[in-house]
Amino acid sequence: MLRGCAALSVLCFHVWLYRPQGQPGPRHSLSAKVLFELNLGLICFFVLSGFLLYRGFVRAMLSGREVNLRRYALRRAARILPAYYVCLAGSLLLYEAVGAGSLVPPPHQLVLFAVFAQSYSTGTFTAIDAVTWTLCVEVLFYLLLPVFAALASRVGPRRHARQVLLLCSLLAVSVVWNGVVSARGWGPVAAKSLPAYLGAFACGMLVALELERRRRPIGRLAAALLALAGMAIVIFTGFGHEQWGSHTLEHRLLADLPAAVGFALIVAAVAGRAPAERRRVPPALAGLGVISYGLYLWHIPLILVLLQLGLLPTALLARLVVVALGAGVLATLSWRCVERPALRWAHRSG
């Protein structure tokens, strides 16, 4: 459910951003400010990844078991790679078919996309499918997580204070990194790298640690209060971005970390409930969560193709309907034809 909402928020942000009239100017209206801040949905993805992936490692540490790293690698690869490569290939074919060759990098740079290195070059950072820079961050996190979990295990699985301190050190890495990037003007490649977002992953990992230690469901009232507090923090983060801009010391150091804290509280409120409570999710939201990865991957290529063909509506609402429906169809196909078969194979093989 949360993944679906995060994917939809990023889609809405890009629908607002990409328009037939060209890039938007200064954000004066309330609606423009709200739509721009929907890009915080990507922070929710990072928090969720930290929570979902680290929870298995925490559970293994507390029970004294070894994590099956082969299974971990297979399932991560099956979840990310097939749909990603299909989307890249499909996007390239679509761009060629509609005469949008300018959207395609030179052939010698395509290898960067194959190994999730496009975000480390200014020439390919937002090429083909602009959202894939976040996958470069995610994949590097996947690779480093077992190393961090091994370190956490050596610290002492049941030494709670030390575990919390270790995770808080990742928050500190993000703050220091953001400060250095800002002070030295390193640009978007450094600003959009894993160190800048380690704090967001760490927020999710802290929730995983606390819920696994707790071992009992969170009460309904406590969950409601956590969710409300989380939403308030996320909204305040967006308000701060719009009210004070990106030039304050607080923004340069903290960036989107406050929003990550807010999303972590929401994740705790949802994941900490009893299993029966968690299953009471409206079918539409549950379905949105299932196809969220495909929705995230395909909406920008679809927007760019419609722009090239002159078919992207000018009116925001019409644009949103067209893109959401088109991306929803592509995402459903991605889930049924690519993602689900790959995940089933990984579960059988692992």
Side-chain angles (χ1 to χ4, degrees), residues 34-68:
V34 170
L35 287 166
F36 179 81
E37 292 303 325
L38 290 179
N39 72 82
L40 288 173
L42 71 90
I43 303 300
C44 185
F45 276 116
F46 292 153
V47 172
L48 280 168
S49 291
F51 167 73
L52 293 169
L53 298 183
Y54 195 56
R55 192 172 194 180
F57 285 97
V58 173
R59 188 173 296 162
M61 283 192 292
L62 292 176
S63 63
R65 294 184 290 105
E66 291 287 333
V67 174
N68 188 327

Side-chain angles (χ1 to χ4, degrees), residues 1-2 4-5 270 276-290:
M1 179 186 73
L2 290 179
C5 292
V270 174
E277 294 286 339
R278 294 200 302 270
R279 285 193 288 268
R280 294 175 187 172
V281 177
L285 284 179
L288 189 62
V290 169

Side-chain angles (χ1 to χ4, degrees), residues 197-251:
Y197 294 99
L198 267 178
F201 289 107
C203 287
M205 293 162 74
L206 280 165
V207 174
L209 177 66
E210 294 304 317
L211 291 186
E212 284 302 311
R213 285 188 68 255
R214 181 181 175 84
R215 293 288 186 179
R216 62 181 186 277
I218 296 174
R220 184 173 298 178
L221 177 59
L225 291 175
L226 282 173
L228 287 173
M231 287 187 284
I233 293 172
V234 173
I235 292 170
F236 181 77
T237 302
F239 175 81
H241 289 171
E242 296 300 319
Q243 189 71 19
W244 300 303
S246 59
H247 302 296
T248 63
L249 177 63
E250 293 83 357
H251 185 272

Side-chain angles (χ1 to χ4, degrees), residues 247-268:
H247 302 296
T248 63
L249 177 63
E250 293 83 357
H251 185 272
R252 291 200 302 271
L253 294 177
L254 298 178
D256 296 319
L257 272 180
V261 173
F263 284 124
L265 294 178
I266 296 170
V267 169

Side-chain angles (χ1 to χ4, degrees), residues 277-342:
E277 294 286 339
R278 294 200 302 270
R279 285 193 288 268
R280 294 175 187 172
V281 177
L285 284 179
L288 189 62
V290 169
I291 65 169
S292 60
Y293 184 43
L295 198 68
Y296 189 74
L297 284 174
W298 277 103
H299 71 275
I300 284 187
L302 176 62
I303 290 173
L304 294 176
V305 167
L306 292 175
L307 269 174
Q308 182 68 22
L309 295 174
L311 298 176
L312 191 67
T314 301
L316 175 63
L317 183 57
R319 200 158 69 241
L320 179 60
V321 171
V322 168
V323 174
L325 288 176
V329 170
L330 292 169
T332 302
L333 290 173
S334 176
W335 168 251
R336 291 182 176 178
C337 302
V338 181
E339 298 167 54
R340 185 167 60 183

